[in-house]
């Protein structure tokens, strides 16, 4: 048998050579966010006219590569599991396909063949002495895709941390590999304004010492994080680890000591942050990166008492239905892990699920709290799952409440300019 280093040398090639594993009609699965391999995807973009009907499937593309070109979509076409800034315009124009699903169920869908995968392109850390690479930046659905794929191509980069957890791929599983030294893409913290700070304060006041946190991405979740630095013995069991969570760890607020499930460990499935975050992740025994069917499984996450889930929405109706992924019929993001963690927090002993949103949009001209969702809106989280809804005007607690009680609570946290109108609409709908 060849040694692991001999296997590495045998499989090492240039990006253009790595593309030889592709067949026309293949589905290429790519990890979330900064786990995407830029050299491989750039090579694919440059050679895209040599292929027919290739699909590149991914959650949250970070960069807009050449293959996003609608003029060459018959050669290579992007498929989004979740839209971000790079893929959103194409999705709204109908040039990018969208596959909706719960984040936690994607590995199962891949395993059962309901989400196609022929080839995996992924970014990885350098190989260790035992022949293992770490997919530290995004274990997510990629580990399931590797188990199913005909071919696995890794982009090995020394700037990718070697993290612990179930995120390792052995050289024997790899078909081809290339090397790159480009810095991992950095994603800064969102801008936090006065509205976000007000919402963050309401939520922070309701989080107890010893709680375990799941924190989504966005200005409001990060505003909450900034107000938790004085808390004690917080834990982290989340889907995304970012710089906000890193600040909590550095402040000493996060110890993971009081977690019921994997005590002492920060647990996540993908990373999105700064170089400082990626450095923190490298060979850190206090951090584990796991596939999303582990991190986002409501049953497993709920093993942590006092699990707190903080997620944002774009629009919510008076009964609590959340439209978190579209603007009317226009796609904006995706389902992601919102439902996973809302349900996990609801199952957790002492858990709290927060849906957060500013009360208005477009300079206070539109209420985000509405009597009925805009026609065509993709409903993300149903009314029966919603617990706390928080705007800059307060907290509505909906779980266990009647429809009438829900309506009154929601109107109370709407912008004052829209409350009378919402009452009239509620009466017209016979909710009041």
């Amino acid at each position: 048998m060849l040694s692991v280093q001999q296997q590495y040398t045998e499989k090492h090639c240039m990006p253009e050579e790595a593309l030889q594993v592709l067949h026309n009609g293949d589905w290429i699965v790519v990890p979330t966010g900064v786990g995407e391999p830029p050299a491989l995807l750039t090579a694919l973009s440059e050679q895209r006219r040599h292929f027919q009907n290739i699909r590149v499937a991914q959650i949250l593309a970070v960069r807009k590569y050449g293959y996003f070109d609608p003029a060459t979509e018959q050669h290579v076409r992007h498929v989004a599991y979740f839209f971000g800034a790079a893929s959103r315009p194409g999705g709204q124009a109908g040039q990018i396909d969208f596959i909706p699903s719960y984040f936690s169920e994607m590995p199962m869908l891949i395993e059962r063949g309901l989400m196609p995968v022929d080839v995996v392109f992924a970014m990885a850390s350098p190989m260790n002495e035992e022949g293992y690479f770490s997919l530290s930046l995004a274990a997510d659905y990629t580990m399931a895709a590797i188990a199913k794929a005909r071919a696995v191509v890794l982009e090995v980069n020394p700037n990718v941390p070697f993290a612990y957890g179930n995120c390792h791929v052995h050289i024997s599983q790899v078909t081809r590999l290339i090397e790159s030294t480009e810095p991992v893409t950095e994603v800064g913290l969102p801008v936090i304004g006065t509205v976000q700070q007000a919402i963050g304060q309401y939520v922070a006041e309701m989080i107890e010492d010893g709680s375990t946190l799941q924190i989504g991405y966005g200005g409001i979740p990060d505003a909450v994080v900034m107000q938790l630095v004085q808390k004690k013995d917080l834990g982290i069991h989340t889907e995304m680890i970012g710089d906000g969570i890193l600040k909590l760890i550095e402040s000493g607020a996060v110890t993971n000591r009081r977690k019921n499930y994997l005590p002492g460990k920060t647990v996540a499935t993908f990373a999105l942050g700064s170089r400082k975050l990626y450095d923190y992740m490298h060979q850190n025994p206090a951090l584990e990166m796991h596939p999303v069917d582990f991190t986002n499984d409501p049953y497993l996450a709920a093993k942590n008492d006092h699990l707190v889930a903080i997620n944002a929405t774009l629009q919510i109706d008076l009964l609590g239905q959340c439209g978190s992924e579209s603007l009317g019929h226009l796609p904006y993001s995706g389902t992601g892990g919102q439902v996973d963690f809302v349900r996990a927090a609801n199952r957790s002993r002492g858990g709290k699920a927060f849906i957060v949103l500013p009360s208005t949009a477009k300079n206070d001209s539109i209420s985000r709290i509405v009597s009925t969702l805009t026609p065509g809106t993709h409903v993300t989280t149903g009314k029966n799952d919603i617990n706390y809804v928080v705007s800059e005007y307060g907290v509505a607690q909906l779980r266990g409440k009647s429809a009438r009680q829900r309506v009154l609570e929601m109107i109370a946290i709407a912008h004052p300019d829209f409350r009378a109108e919402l009452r009239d609409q509620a009466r017209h709908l016979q909710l009041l």
Side-chain angles (χ1 to χ4, degrees):
M1 282 185 64
L2 297 177
S3 70
V4 294
Q5 191 56 54
Q6 286 171 325
Q7 291 181 65
Y8 186 102
T9 302
E10 186 179 73
K11 296 175 179 183
H12 177 255
C13 64
M14 299 303 292
E16 296 75 18
E17 296 175 84
L19 298 183
Q20 293 173 8
V21 304
L22 295 176
H23 301 163
N24 288 335
D26 273 352
W27 282 69
I28 305 171
V29 169
V30 175
T32 302
V34 298
E36 67 187 24
L40 280 171
L41 294 178
T42 297
L44 176 65
S45 296
E46 292 170 350
Q47 302 293 321
R48 65 187 184 275
R49 290 177 176 83
H50 296 167
F51 300 100
Q52 291 294 325
N53 199 31
I54 296 285
R55 298 288 188 269
V56 180
Q58 181 189 14
I59 272 189
L60 194 60
V62 173
R63 304 188 192 188
K64 193 170 185 178
Y65 294 94
Y67 69 80
F68 280 78
D69 181 2
T72 58
E73 65 180 33
Q74 74 272 26
H75 300 289
V76 179
R77 183 179 175 97
H78 191 73
V79 178
Y81 302 137
F82 188 103
F83 289 111
S87 56
R88 187 177 299 124
Q92 293 181 345
Q95 297 156 356
I96 289 176
D97 296 321
F98 175 57
I99 299 179
S101 68
Y102 297 123
F103 199 4
S104 65
E105 292 187 353
M106 289 181 63
M108 176 267 290
L109 295 172
I110 288 171
E111 179 186 344
R112 295 183 182 180
L114 296 171
M115 281 185 171
V117 53
D118 299 294
V119 178
V120 172
F121 281 2
M123 188 110 94
S125 74
M127 185 177 73
N128 69 7
E129 292 181 356
E130 288 75 36
Y132 286 95
F133 305 87
S134 178
L135 302 191
S136 56
L137 299 176
D140 50 41
Y141 47 83
T142 309
M143 298 297 289
I146 286 171
K148 190 82 171 178
R150 183 188 74 243
V152 175
V153 184
L154 298 185
E155 181 171 325
V156 180
N157 188 318
N159 296 304
V160 175
F162 191 100
Y164 299 118
N166 183 10
C167 61
H168 298 154
V169 178
H170 193 262
I171 184 64
S172 61
Q173 299 172 270
V174 178
T175 310
R176 300 277 178 91
L177 62 88
I178 71 165
E179 294 178 340
S180 66
T181 58
E182 183 178 341
V184 177
T185 302
E186 297 187 54
V187 179
L189 290 170
V191 176
I192 298 173
T194 55
V195 169
Q196 288 84 359
Q197 287 178 333
I199 295 170
Q201 186 170 350
Y202 280 120
V203 176
E205 288 173 354
M206 298 178 67
I207 296 177
E208 306 164 27
D209 290 343
S211 296
T212 294
L213 308 180
Q214 176 266 329
I215 301 169
Y217 180 76
I220 299 174
D222 276 308
V224 176
V225 167
M226 296 303 102
Q227 299 184 54
L228 295 178
V229 293
Q230 303 304 320
K231 300 287 184 179
K232 294 180 174 59
D233 288 330
L234 297 176
I236 302 295
H237 185 116
T238 190
E239 60 184 16
M240 185 197 84
I241 182 169
D243 280 31
I245 288 176
L246 181 60
K247 287 182 183 296
L248 275 185
I249 294 170
E250 291 177 330
S251 74
V254 169
T255 66
N256 291 304
R257 283 189 299 215
R258 290 169 61 179
K259 288 176 66 179
N260 306 77
Y261 192 54
L262 293 180
K265 305 290 185 181
T266 290
V267 175
T269 195
F270 72 95
L272 202 63
S274 67
R275 178 74 253 171
K276 187 176 183 182
L277 172 69
Y278 307 143
D279 289 343
Y280 168 82
M281 296 172 65
H282 184 60
Q283 294 184 343
N284 186 342
L287 170 75
E288 291 188 359
M289 304 298 289
H290 287 275
V292 71
D293 54 350
F294 178 90
T295 60
N296 287 40
D297 183 312
Y299 173 77
L300 296 178
K303 289 186 175 183
N304 291 295
D305 292 347
H306 303 287
L307 178 68
V308 173
I310 306 166
N311 292 281
T313 193
L314 297 171
Q315 189 182 69
I316 187 168
D317 72 14
L318 293 177
L319 293 179
Q321 295 184 109
C322 292
S324 307
E325 56 193 278
S326 74
L327 302 171
H329 69 281
L330 285 176
Y332 187 84
S333 55
T335 304
Q338 180 176 119
V339 179
D340 297 333
F341 276 102
V342 166
R343 290 177 175 170
N346 287 341
R347 291 179 68 115
S348 167
R349 185 180 292 109
K352 296 175 182 177
F354 293 96
I355 294 294
V356 295
L357 78 166
S359 64
T360 62
K362 294 188 176 181
N363 298 316
D364 295 340
S365 65
I366 297 174
S367 178
R368 291 178 183 265
I369 297 172
V370 294
S371 56
T372 57
L373 297 176
T374 302
T377 295
H378 305 174
V379 177
T380 306
T381 307
K383 65 185 185 305
N384 297 347
D385 289 314
I386 298 302
N387 189 357
Y388 297 99
V389 182
V390 187
S391 78
E392 71 271 33
Y393 291 102
V395 180
Q397 196 282 307
L398 305 187
R399 203 157 165 83
K401 300 289 180 65
S402 69
R404 177 183 174 82
Q405 289 171 319
R406 284 169 173 251
V407 168
L408 293 173
E409 293 234 6
M410 291 298 297
I411 291 174
I413 66 167
H415 190 287
D417 291 350
F418 293 95
R419 291 177 189 171
E421 180 183 351
L422 287 170
R423 286 191 194 94
D424 289 342
Q425 292 170 346
R427 292 189 188 101
H428 177 73
L429 295 171
Q430 298 182 325
L431 295 172
L432 283 180

